[in-house]
Amino acid sequence: MSVLEMKVPSPGESITEVEIATWLVEDGDYVEKDQPIAEVDSDKATLELPAEESGIITLKAEEGDAVAVGAVVCLIDTSAAKPAGDASNDDAKPTKEAPAQTEKVSPAVEKKDTYASGVASPAAKKVLAEKGIDAKSVNGTGKDGRITKDDAVKAVPSMGTQPANGSRNTERKKMSMLRRKVAERLVAVKSETAMLTTFNEVNMQPIFDLRKEYKEDFKAKHGVGLGFMSFFTLAVVRALKMYPDVNSMIDGDFQIKHDFQDISIAVSGPKGLMVPVIRNAENLSFRGVESEVKRLALRARDGQITVDEMTGGTFTITNGGVFGSMLSTPIINPPQSGILGMHNIVNRPMAVNGGVIIQPIMYVALSYDHRIIDGRESVGFLVAVKEALENPVELLMDNNPKKALEM
């Protein structure tokens, strides 16, 4: 017998453990080389784990287990021959499950109340107090009916008396490591930074006019659409050069400033929100930004995005407008110091030259860390973004839009 030990590969620097999110195969299955056998969560991404060789697999970790990078998670018997078919395996599965069914229908042993019934352990008391649950409403599974910490963790607060009609089912599901890490980071940002938000509005009519005139030629020439992200990204690059404090971050007692602009863009993927990075956006043209946005969005959608592609941004742009958001306060993406929130575009009355006209308006928001960015820089930065978006021909295209969009 020749057995291969499959170990957890390192998903990226600084990651020391992952969590087995889902096994895509069962213990005893025959797997092919490079076949995805599991999805593993790190604190930055969900990645597929492919089989290193073909053979019969033996699982060494359960779903939900946290395993160290380099630890053995399964064995593959590479000397095993591929089964002729799967029918025999399918027939065997009900037999494996039969004992469990027998156990479930066994008559329950009547429990007698004792002095310990309903008494919560110290750890259980603390959990129940945090949840606001009366110990009398919890059934203890411990010795003599005691309430254990596990009983308290699983206890759900009452949601009122169930009506005669309608379902009131609930589901308890462990969050993925990625989701838990995101939650951790968001809470940390609120408690560890002096986060403030400043708002402004942008008249999007000049960009609408440019897109209407050039979008067909742009797509035919470059194979990507002329969207809003290229305008916003290049406007942000320009503003970051004008206000470099917004492109910096805090490291202990030091401020780190960057002479490059790596722009993180928030995109929605199957595993939730992901934030891949457009590297050296200051060197990209409209075509370059749009091509990179499309490439990263597709990789996020297909679950192929890597940790390296989501690490190291210096500033973030998030677009809640695609979901219909009118106005929001985006949360800083640490260790960055600023994030720009885009929102939906709505036709609104606007005063122009003493008259009122209808214009497509977007509200924009800049959340920033006030420990390192003062009001002058934050407001000035957002005004610079607004100016570039309302006058893109002069400020983003050097008064030559045709040449700028052909690059």
Side-chain angles (χ1 to χ4, degrees), residues 39 43 70 76 93 114 122 142 160 176 189 191 224 235 273 356 365 367 370:
E39 289 183 350
D43 58 10
I76 299 178
K93 287 176 185 175
T114 70
S176 69
V189 168
S191 61
V224 290
L273 191 69
V356 177
S367 292
H370 204 358

Side-chain angles (χ1 to χ4, degrees), residues 298-366:
L298 287 175
R299 287 179 59 79
R301 184 197 67 186
D302 296 339
Q304 297 176 340
I305 204 80
T306 66
V307 173
D308 288 341
E309 289 174 307
M310 294 191 291
T311 304
T314 63
F315 185 88
T316 295
I317 300 174
T318 181
N319 185 5
V322 296
F323 305 111
S325 171
M326 181 190 80
L327 193 61
S328 66
T329 303
I331 296 180
I332 296 169
N333 180 20
Q336 299 171 18
S337 299
I339 179 171
L340 177 71
M342 301 165 59
H343 301 92
N344 63 356
I345 301 169
V346 178
N347 285 330
R348 305 182 190 278
M350 189 175 187
V352 178
N353 297 325
V356 177
I357 60 174
I358 303 299
Q359 296 282 269
I361 302 298
M362 176 192 286
Y363 295 141
V364 290
L366 172 72

Side-chain angles (χ1 to χ4, degrees), residues 272-294:
L273 191 69
M274 297 184 176
V275 194
V277 181
I278 301 175
R279 305 289 179 190
N280 290 105
E282 73 278 5
N283 297 330
L284 297 180
S285 62
F286 282 84
R287 177 189 63 81
V289 172
E290 294 292 353
S291 297
E292 208 35 20
V293 168
K294 180 180 179 180

Side-chain angles (χ1 to χ4, degrees), residues 81-342:
K82 183 176 181 180
D86 296 328
S88 59
N89 291 340
D90 292 339
D91 292 339
K93 287 176 185 175
T95 308
K96 285 172 64 178
E97 295 175 2
Q101 293 177 357
T102 304
E103 289 177 15
K104 289 182 181 176
V105 298
S106 298
V109 177
E110 184 179 352
K111 291 184 178 179
K112 294 182 179 180
D113 288 341
T114 70
Y115 71 93
S117 299
V119 175
S121 70
K125 278 183 182 178
K126 181 178 179 183
V127 174
L128 292 175
E130 290 172 351
K131 290 185 173 184
I133 299 176
D134 188 344
K136 295 177 182 178
S137 66
V138 180
N139 291 324
T141 62
K143 185 178 180 181
D144 296 327
R146 288 182 175 86
I147 299 172
T148 66
K149 182 180 179 182
D150 188 54
D151 295 330
V153 169
K154 292 178 179 176
V156 178
S158 172
M159 301 301 288
T161 304
Q162 182 172 339
N165 299 317
S167 170
R168 291 170 64 81
N169 296 326
T170 58
E171 179 185 5
R172 181 183 175 86
K173 182 181 178 182
K174 187 174 183 180
M175 294 187 296
S176 69
M177 181 180 282
L178 174 61
R179 189 73 248 175
R180 298 199 306 270
K181 189 63 178 181
V182 168
E184 229 176 77
R185 285 159 62 90
L186 294 180
V187 171
V189 168
K190 295 288 284 185
S191 61
E192 295 173 7
T193 68
M195 195 180 86
L196 292 178
T197 306
T198 183
F199 304 93
N200 215 316
E201 63 179 12
V202 176
N203 182 356
M204 298 292 289
Q205 190 61 53
I207 294 178
F208 273 41
D209 293 341
L210 282 167
R211 292 181 72 239
K212 182 178 180 180
E213 183 176 354
Y214 293 104
K215 68 178 182 180
E216 296 300 331
D217 291 340
F218 187 88
K219 187 169 185 178
K221 183 177 179 63
H222 302 304
V224 290
L226 179 60
F228 296 115
M229 280 305 298
S230 53
F231 289 94
F232 273 83
T233 300
L234 295 179
V236 162
V237 166
R238 173 180 177 271
L240 290 175
K241 291 178 179 178
M242 296 170 64
Y243 297 93
D245 281 345
V246 184
N247 197 45
S248 66
M249 58 187 64
I250 291 178
D251 181 15
D253 294 333
F254 296 87
Q255 177 182 11
I256 301 174
K257 291 189 177 182
H258 309 287
D259 65 355
F260 55 90
Q261 286 79 39
D262 282 355
I263 308 300
S264 304
I265 54 169
V267 298
S268 182
K271 298 294 182 180
L273 191 69
M274 297 184 176
V275 194
V277 181
I278 301 175
R279 305 289 179 190
N280 290 105
E282 73 278 5
N283 297 330
L284 297 180
S285 62
F286 282 84
R287 177 189 63 81
V289 172
E290 294 292 353
S291 297
E292 208 35 20
V293 168
K294 180 180 179 180
R295 183 185 73 83
L296 293 170
L298 287 175
R299 287 179 59 79
R301 184 197 67 186
D302 296 339
Q304 297 176 340
I305 204 80
T306 66
V307 173
D308 288 341
E309 289 174 307
M310 294 191 291
T311 304
T314 63
F315 185 88
T316 295
I317 300 174
T318 181
N319 185 5
V322 296
F323 305 111
S325 171
M326 181 190 80
L327 193 61
S328 66
T329 303
I331 296 180
I332 296 169
N333 180 20
Q336 299 171 18
S337 299
I339 179 171
L340 177 71
M342 301 165 59

